[in-house]
Amino acid sequence: MKRTLHADHRNKGRLDRPDPYPVHRIKRVDQPTTRVNEDQIQRVDERDGGFHQAGIGNFGPRLKQEYKRFVPKHPLSGALVAMGGNLGHLVEGPTKTTDASGTPWGVSSWKPLASVAPAKAPLPEDPVDLARHIKEVAYFLRADMVGICKLPPYSVFTHSKADGSPVTLAHKYAIGILIDQDWRTAAAFSGRDWISNAMSFMAYTASGFIACALADYIRRLGYPARAHFAMNYQVVVPPILLWAGLGEISRIGDVVLNPFLGPRFKAAVVTTDLPLAVDKPIDFGLQDFCDKCQKCARECPANAISDGPKEMYNGYEKWPTNAKRCTAMRVGNQHGSGCGTCIKVCPWNKPYTPFHRAINWSMRKIPFLRRFGVWGDDLLGYGKADYDQKWWLDLEEVDGVLQVPITIKKKAEAIDPATQLEMDE
Amino acid sequence: MKRTLHADHRNKGRLDRPDPYPVHRIKRVDQPTTRVNEDQIQRVDERDGGFHQAGIGNFGPRLKQEYKRFVPKHPLSGALVAMGGNLGHLVEGPTKTTDASGTPWGVSSWKPLASVAPAKAPLPEDPVDLARHIKEVAYFLRADMVGICKLPPYSVFTHSKADGSPVTLAHKYAIGILIDQDWRTAAAFSGRDWISNAMSFMAYTASGFIACALADYIRRLGYPARAHFAMNYQVVVPPILLWAGLGEISRIGDVVLNPFLGPRFKAAVVTTDLPLAVDKPIDFGLQDFCDKCQKCARECPANAISDGPKEMYNGYEKWPTNAKRCTAMRVGNQHGSGCGTCIKVCPWNKPYTPFHRAINWSMRKIPFLRRFGVWGDDLLGYGKADYDQKWWLDLEEVDGVLQVPITIKKKAEAIDPATQLEMDE
């Protein structure tokens, strides 16, 4: 769908709101639609994350090995993770003091703000005006959706996976920035072939790019700010998206699902003390929808998604997922690079066309139509690969050389993640 | 307007073309619509550029001083030029070998390709398929428009401004990548107030980001590739845009004007030896239009644009411009950061709405309507600032502290670039 749809609004000069998508039409609620017992939530250690666990060998020797190559084994996700690694150095301020040419153009002409500007800039005093301004800046920087909340203290990691050092982050606010993973590619791919990681890392790096520039802008205004994205986090993102009104908890588990992008996005965050008016959580009927749909549970190749009811976990009411099986599929996938099958098959993964906007409205507003909607989604073949639209190349790096993926050469059958997982144990 | 309009097409699954804008509807020609005597064109020394000349003091002491601050004196253009300076290190391959966290995630898991992959990847053999693929990749990376041409040898700088060293670049092809400077901001600003440089550097860095990732991707495929953008060029961009069918020479002078974005874009380039089918130059009637319009010449605050006929210059037929006056205005502007008044007032600077698409078609197709179109453009007030849509903050850094710009405090009258220029001499 239109990635920067706000441009429409901007064209029409709709000054009442900066947002590309009609987020103002989504019902706002004081509390998330899933229970969040904030007093019970324990902060998370970044080292407990599935990918890190795979990387250090806790999911078996094969995944430990695969972890080193599962992203760059395809050249496009490789180029994007390389770019992301570079941006990962900028989250707390540009570390470069010269550009490549060494000339004043972009060198002595700018003062890298690795720290906060010494004096606060003269700014609007109303946090509502400041929040509106920050969103306008993020959209100017080509964000797809932006939301703001207070930074939940429990969303801050206890320890960094980098060196195991304790994380302290006392910022007051969090700005969530969403980037679409690209509808056309999502329509073409199977959910787990060779472009899957590239979709993730395109959105990770594009949102990280915006977060790093926005954080630097805020530091120049005289307020502390730090960017957080895939290559360098100090926070857990889902609770921030939840409180910033960017989505509801979904059956996919830790995925906060957006009413217009579905699960087809990645998010970056900027934390800051700049005084900002915050958004409220949203309710677009997803809890009832996910109860009825279960497509992601049905289609997950790793059987990592539950078709049962929600449970309480670390203070959150959520559908349980098997992080180990999910990670094993994404890291160990021999038939592609990564896996986003849940994103692919989710009925909310749609373009933003008039037809789909109408369906989207009815799914949000008319509960009894939801089962019919899911049935129709299957009937119309959504969730199936459409290789007529395939534009990427199936390539796999083996021993530093790109080749037609072994599993394609072999015409291997569909992967059996169960077997694979046992293999990994 | 819609920055990534290709998303529309991608939604509709138009497989006949990857492009967001209907560039296939624009008339293609074998030669550019302005004479290019390739045998007479002398390569340019990067050090002769206006900005560099201002920076080394050849335009007077005030501009030499202002040059150090004219971009970062506003915090948003400052944050963007800082980001650009960082990307400037990546044009020939990521130089980082670790991400900020130091973990395998994006570190040992990717091999930074500062050089070309040792072996060529198995690729489609038809250069038409490869060109289509490269455009799809650039659009996936959120480019707004892409065109391909053979790299004109005369577009390569003779010497780098970095250290005065000779430039040698023997790549066969050039990929031009356009990023919109944002219609809503272009509609709001006067052309020369405090957001002007931020518009330039948003588009410079966003296109540079895409060019760096695309070049890395191509190197991983086993072919040499280098990114070129504002913070690190080895080529002069306009002739590349001209031959890649991304625009025609315009009265604005060195600006190659695009039929859908007008002059409201910045471009990055990737040069490579990957065998690509090339695009042809375009003819949308701009030579006749610019003959009749002259709005940019009328409105330029520096009187740097000619209202006269085209002349031959270094083998190019073009409207003459006064680079010194233009540079003096952009670097020395005391009432804002930079200047894009010619972009602001150009009748081709429009959103991509149905109404404007219809006008756009008639201006391209019906010569006798052009004078009427220009008259109507004035009548409807296009080219005037619309501060109801203003979203940015007027801020100016003075001695490391952001303040309300001096000239706004003083309620100074409109700048007199003539006086200013004399002041600079």
Side-chain angles (χ1 to χ4, degrees):
Chain A
M1 30 55 56
K2 300 165 190 170
R3 280 197 201 112
T4 50
L5 200 85
H6 65 288
D8 284 350
H9 300 227
R10 291 162 85 87
N11 291 349
K12 294 169 195 142
R14 295 218 191 139
L15 304 177
D16 52 323
R17 55 197 146 83
D19 307 282
Y21 293 91
V23 291
H24 61 288
R25 296 209 194 99
I26 304 294
K27 180 180 165 194
R28 298 279 164 172
V29 288
D30 293 327
Q31 291 292 319
T33 52
T34 45
R35 252 176 307 155
V36 181
N37 300 336
E38 299 191 277
D39 54 336
Q40 293 169 23
I41 300 173
Q42 300 298 311
R43 287 169 62 194
V44 178
D45 188 324
E46 190 180 18
R47 295 169 295 188
D48 295 339
F51 286 116
H52 188 71
Q53 288 296 308
I56 62 177
N58 289 352
F59 293 167
R62 192 181 71 87
L63 292 185
K64 181 179 182 179
Q65 197 51 38
E66 283 299 302
Y67 180 65
K68 296 197 176 74
R69 63 183 285 271
F70 84 109
V71 179
K73 70 184 181 182
H74 188 275
L76 187 50
S77 39
L80 284 163
V81 78
M83 175 62 79
N86 176 269
L87 292 174
H89 296 265
L90 304 182
V91 295
E92 302 195 75
T95 53
K96 294 270 179 307
T97 55
T98 61
D99 74 7
S101 70
T103 59
W105 180 262
V107 182
S108 61
S109 72
W110 58 268
K111 306 181 180 82
L113 298 198
S115 58
V116 179
K120 288 182 163 42
L123 298 176
E125 287 179 5
D126 187 341
V128 172
D129 295 336
L130 271 177
R132 163 69 184 253
H133 172 68
I134 289 300
K135 287 184 179 182
E136 290 274 18
V137 172
Y139 288 130
F140 173 71
L141 297 174
R142 301 167 69 94
D144 288 333
M145 216 173 304
V146 183
I148 302 174
C149 67
K150 288 187 173 160
L151 175 65
Y154 51 82
S155 69
V156 179
F157 283 127
T158 58
H159 297 81
S160 158
K161 67 182 180 182
D163 53 7
S165 60
V167 175
T168 53
L169 181 71
H171 290 156
K172 293 192 185 74
Y173 303 98
I175 303 156
I177 297 162
L178 308 190
I179 289 290
D180 191 336
Q181 289 189 40
D182 188 54
W183 157 252
R184 184 179 181 174
T185 310
F189 88 141
S190 72
R192 50 187 178 273
D193 35 22
W194 293 91
I195 198 61
S196 182
N197 265 330
M199 293 168 68
S200 297
F201 280 85
M202 179 274 284
Y204 279 140
T205 51
S207 58
F209 174 91
I210 294 166
C212 289
L214 180 60
D216 190 19
Y217 174 65
I218 294 172
R219 287 190 298 272
R220 287 165 192 261
L221 297 179
Y223 293 84
R226 188 204 198 267
H228 307 261
F229 75 109
M231 311 307 288
N232 190 336
Y233 286 122
Q234 281 186 342
V235 297
V236 186
V237 172
I240 289 167
L241 303 184
L242 194 63
W243 285 104
L246 290 168
E248 288 185 57
I249 291 279
S250 71
R251 182 175 290 278
I252 299 173
D254 296 330
V255 170
V256 169
L257 197 143
N258 181 274
F260 302 109
L261 297 173
R264 195 190 64 238
F265 68 85
K266 295 295 184 188
V269 168
V270 172
T271 56
T272 182
D273 286 339
L274 183 72
L276 299 170
V278 298
D279 296 303
K280 291 170 74 176
I282 56 175
D283 177 359
F284 58 100
L286 189 68
Q287 300 315 302
D288 176 59
F289 188 95
C290 286
D291 266 331
K292 294 168 173 168
C293 174
Q294 306 183 2
K295 264 185 94 161
C296 54
R298 188 186 78 204
E299 301 292 336
C300 174
N303 305 316
I305 301 176
S306 163
D307 59 5
K310 284 176 277 196
E311 300 169 3
M312 291 304 297
Y313 176 78
N314 188 31
Y316 296 96
E317 181 190 18
K318 62 189 289 290
W319 278 278
T321 51
N322 186 323
K324 185 174 180 178
R325 298 186 72 89
C326 177
T327 304
M329 178 65 205
R330 289 196 276 174
V331 174
N333 184 0
Q334 299 167 47
H335 298 255
S337 173
C339 179
T341 305
C342 47
I343 294 171
K344 168 70 179 188
V345 303
C346 178
W348 294 89
N349 165 33
K350 289 290 181 294
Y352 199 67
T353 59
F355 170 75
H356 288 290
R357 291 170 70 161
I359 303 293
N360 183 284
W361 182 89
S362 66
M363 290 298 106
R364 277 161 26 214
K365 301 288 186 183
I366 311 170
F368 77 88
L369 283 182
R370 288 169 186 157
R371 285 186 192 282
F372 179 80
V374 174
W375 173 79
D377 202 65
D378 278 330
L379 192 73
L380 293 171
Y382 288 109
K384 301 245 175 303
D386 174 8
Y387 286 140
D388 289 345
Q389 293 200 52
K390 181 170 182 276
W391 58 265
W392 64 90
L393 301 173
D394 293 326
L395 293 168
E396 178 181 15
E397 182 180 12
V398 178
D399 305 328
V401 176
L402 288 175
Q403 56 179 48
V404 175
I406 301 161
T407 51
I408 289 182
K409 284 193 199 140
K410 289 184 186 163
K411 293 195 173 53
E413 296 91 52
I415 192 164
D416 177 349
T419 326
Q420 178 183 321
L421 190 59
E422 275 124 39
M423 210 168 72
D424 296 329
E425 286 166 331
Chain B
M1 30 60 57
K2 300 163 193 171
R3 281 197 198 111
T4 50
L5 202 85
H6 64 290
D8 284 350
H9 299 227
R10 292 163 84 87
N11 290 350
K12 294 169 194 143
R14 295 220 191 137
L15 303 177
D16 53 323
R17 54 178 196 275
D19 307 284
Y21 292 91
V23 292
H24 60 288
R25 297 211 194 101
I26 303 293
K27 181 181 165 192
R28 298 279 165 172
V29 288
D30 293 326
Q31 292 292 318
T33 52
T34 46
R35 254 176 304 154
V36 180
N37 299 336
E38 299 191 276
D39 54 335
Q40 291 169 23
I41 301 173
Q42 300 297 313
R43 286 169 63 194
V44 178
D45 188 325
E46 190 180 19
R47 295 169 294 188
D48 294 340
F51 286 115
H52 188 71
Q53 288 297 307
I56 61 176
N58 289 353
F59 293 167
R62 193 181 71 87
L63 291 185
K64 181 178 182 178
Q65 197 51 38
E66 283 299 303
Y67 180 65
K68 296 197 176 74
R69 64 183 286 270
F70 83 110
V71 180
K73 70 184 180 181
H74 188 275
L76 187 49
S77 39
L80 284 163
V81 77
M83 174 62 79
N86 176 270
L87 291 174
H89 296 266
L90 304 181
V91 296
E92 302 195 74
T95 52
K96 295 270 176 305
T97 55
T98 60
D99 73 8
S101 71
T103 60
W105 181 261
V107 181
S108 61
S109 72
W110 58 268
K111 308 182 180 80
L113 298 199
S115 59
V116 179
K120 286 182 165 40
L123 298 176
E125 287 182 3
D126 187 340
V128 173
D129 296 336
L130 270 177
R132 163 69 184 252
H133 172 68
I134 289 299
K135 287 184 180 183
E136 291 274 16
V137 172
Y139 288 131
F140 173 72
L141 297 174
R142 301 167 69 94
D144 288 332
M145 215 174 303
V146 183
I148 301 173
C149 67
K150 288 189 174 161
L151 176 64
Y154 51 82
S155 69
V156 178
F157 284 127
T158 58
H159 297 80
S160 158
K161 68 182 178 182
D163 53 7
S165 61
V167 175
T168 52
L169 180 71
H171 291 156
K172 293 192 186 72
Y173 302 98
I175 304 156
I177 297 163
L178 308 190
I179 289 290
D180 192 336
Q181 289 188 41
D182 188 55
W183 158 253
R184 185 180 181 174
T185 311
F189 87 142
S190 71
R192 49 189 179 273
D193 37 20
W194 294 91
I195 198 61
S196 182
N197 265 330
M199 292 168 70
S200 297
F201 280 84
M202 179 274 284
Y204 278 140
T205 52
S207 59
F209 174 91
I210 295 166
C212 289
L214 180 60
D216 191 18
Y217 174 65
I218 294 173
R219 287 190 298 270
R220 287 164 191 262
L221 296 180
Y223 293 85
R226 190 207 199 264
H228 307 260
F229 75 109
M231 310 307 288
N232 190 336
Y233 285 122
Q234 280 186 343
V235 297
V236 185
V237 172
I240 289 168
L241 304 184
L242 193 63
W243 285 105
L246 290 168
E248 289 186 57
I249 290 279
S250 72
R251 180 175 293 277
I252 299 174
D254 296 330
V255 170
V256 169
L257 196 143
N258 181 274
F260 301 108
L261 297 173
R264 195 188 63 243
F265 68 85
K266 295 295 184 188
V269 169
V270 172
T271 57
T272 182
D273 286 340
L274 183 72
L276 300 171
V278 299
D279 297 303
K280 291 171 73 174
I282 55 174
D283 177 358
F284 58 100
L286 189 67
Q287 300 313 302
D288 175 58
F289 188 94
C290 286
D291 265 330
K292 293 167 173 169
C293 175
Q294 305 183 1
K295 263 185 95 161
C296 54
R298 187 188 77 203
E299 300 293 336
C300 173
N303 305 316
I305 301 175
S306 162
D307 59 6
K310 284 176 277 194
E311 300 170 3
M312 290 306 294
Y313 176 81
N314 188 31
Y316 297 97
E317 181 190 19
K318 65 189 287 289
W319 278 278
T321 51
N322 185 322
K324 185 173 180 178
R325 299 187 70 89
C326 176
T327 305
M329 178 65 204
R330 289 196 277 173
V331 174
N333 183 359
Q334 298 166 47
H335 299 255
S337 173
C339 179
T341 306
C342 47
I343 294 171
K344 168 69 180 187
V345 304
C346 178
W348 295 88
N349 165 33
K350 289 290 182 292
Y352 199 66
T353 57
F355 171 74
H356 288 292
R357 291 171 71 162
I359 303 293
N360 183 284
W361 181 89
S362 66
M363 290 298 106
R364 280 163 21 216
K365 301 287 185 182
I366 311 171
F368 78 87
L369 283 182
R370 287 167 187 157
R371 284 186 194 284
F372 179 80
V374 174
W375 174 80
D377 201 68
D378 279 330
L379 192 72
L380 293 171
Y382 288 110
K384 300 248 177 302
D386 175 7
Y387 287 138
D388 289 345
Q389 293 200 54
K390 180 170 183 271
W391 58 265
W392 65 90
L393 302 173
D394 293 327
L395 292 168
E396 179 180 14
E397 184 181 13
V398 178
D399 304 328
V401 176
L402 288 176
Q403 55 179 49
V404 174
I406 302 161
T407 51
I408 289 181
K409 284 195 201 139
K410 286 186 190 161
K411 292 196 171 54
E413 297 91 55
I415 190 162
D416 177 349
T419 326
Q420 179 184 319
L421 191 59
E422 276 124 40
M423 211 169 71
D424 296 329
E425 286 165 335

